[in-house]
Amino acid sequence: MADDRGAEAGGLARDLNRCIALGGNIYFLAKIGATDGRSFQQMAGSMTGLTEEQYRDMMIKGGRPIEGNRYIGEQR
């Protein structure tokens, strides 16, 4: 990760969005999840501001709408 102090703080605080912003990837999150005994569903829910159940239900219904989620520069 680019900023070791920020990465360390993000990892210790389990700020998963900060870890990703600093260059972490799905494999990094999988290691944190395995260490903490958390499922990907639990972690993804926490990263999106949803409960595990809300995240699961959203994904069962087809996930997030594509509008506004393709790339950062997309504006509608």
Side-chain angles (χ1 to χ4, degrees), residues 28-51:
F28 177 77
L29 292 183
K31 288 180 181 183
I32 289 178
T35 300
D36 292 350
R38 296 177 71 198
S39 70
F40 178 79
Q41 190 170 285
Q42 289 171 316
M43 294 190 309
S46 74
M47 293 172 72
T48 58
L50 302 172
T51 66

Side-chain angles (χ1 to χ4, degrees), residues 68 71-76:
Y71 52 91
I72 293 172
E74 182 180 53
Q75 299 292 321
R76 289 193 181 206

Side-chain angles (χ1 to χ4, degrees), residues 15-63:
D15 182 345
L16 304 177
N17 288 323
R18 175 105 174 111
C19 291
I20 293 295
L22 292 169
N25 58 34
I26 189 66
Y27 304 105
F28 177 77
L29 292 183
K31 288 180 181 183
I32 289 178
T35 300
D36 292 350
R38 296 177 71 198
S39 70
F40 178 79
Q41 190 170 285
Q42 289 171 316
M43 294 190 309
S46 74
M47 293 172 72
T48 58
L50 302 172
T51 66
E52 179 182 1
E53 292 77 20
Q54 290 169 325
Y55 181 80
R56 180 197 62 229
D57 293 344
M58 176 188 67
M59 296 309 289
I60 288 171
K61 293 176 184 171

